[in-house]
Amino acid sequence: MSLSEISARIAKAEAKAGRAAGSVELIAVSKVQPDARVEAVLKEGHRLFGENRVQEAAGKWPAFRESFPDTKVHLIGPLQTNKARQAFELFDAIHTLDRPKLITAFARLAQETGKCPELFVQINTGEEPQKAGLRPKDAESFLAECARNDLPISGLMCIPPVDEEPSLHFALLAKIAARNGLSGLSMGMSGDFESAIALGATHVRVGSAIFGARAYEP
């Protein structure tokens, strides 16, 4: 499926949900994609990408940004605390804030540098033990801790369980966000982004539908 087809589907879903045109941002998930595929999407004019790993992004995006300086890159994978400084410097947004240690690290870096990437708190809506993210019942206390550390939070992120109806998880995430006065909702992927948009998604993460299947999954 082409980038233009995905963009058209997003626009149609926005209109169907009564959302303003352009209110949903498409994150092209470029993790583990060959540089040639990424460059092709850049040449089509797309400028927002998602990466899962700090190290991969660090090896890929500085060079691309020399040629495409208006490109933005978001971290959508789990972040180790010892990579916090590198992530803080490299990414325009981090969607996977989920531990007190990261709050402390980001607050210190924000004070030190006078700037901060856009931050989303990851919620483990399915409470799956193998997944990162906060349990829904812990969201309020975690967000309060962010506020105490003067850490600005733009919204919430979730990855629904693969064997459950995703719209239930999108609705839960939207409810938690509304309760806490947050407008950003990072939710929805290649197979379910239209239902995510219907439930308020502001950022959808689409990879294989744009780039094709990944040949290698680390």
Side-chain angles (χ1 to χ4, degrees), residues 178-192:
R179 197 163 61 224
N180 289 279
L182 297 172
S183 58
L185 287 169
S186 173
M187 59 188 196
M189 296 185 283
S190 293
D192 55 27

Side-chain angles (χ1 to χ4, degrees), residues 46-157:
H46 196 70
R47 291 294 182 270
L48 177 56
F49 294 82
E51 291 286 343
N52 262 40
R53 295 186 176 183
V54 175
Q55 189 172 353
E56 182 185 350
K60 178 189 298 181
W61 286 102
F64 276 138
R65 279 172 156 162
E66 287 185 15
S67 301
F68 305 94
D70 54 340
T71 299
K72 293 184 177 181
V73 184
H74 291 193
L75 178 66
I76 58 173
L79 176 61
Q80 297 173 319
T81 308
N82 63 359
K83 298 279 180 65
R85 179 177 292 274
Q86 191 178 10
F88 201 88
E89 294 169 351
L90 183 62
F91 294 103
D92 298 283
I94 295 169
H95 291 233
T96 51
L97 174 58
D98 67 348
R99 300 190 308 285
K101 282 186 176 180
L102 285 176
I103 294 177
T104 303
F106 286 165
R108 184 179 66 249
L109 289 164
Q111 288 287 332
E112 182 184 311
T113 62
K115 61 180 182 178
C116 185
E118 194 175 6
L119 297 174
F120 291 77
V121 171
Q122 183 172 356
I123 307 296
N124 185 349
T125 53
E127 300 194 36
E128 297 174 278
Q130 79 279 14
K131 271 188 186 170
L134 299 161
R135 292 177 300 178
K137 69 178 183 179
D138 296 329
E140 272 78 13
S141 60
F142 188 85
L143 289 165
E145 184 66 17
C146 291
R148 281 192 291 272
N149 282 270
D150 296 321
L151 207 56
I153 302 300
S154 295
L156 305 178
M157 182 271 249

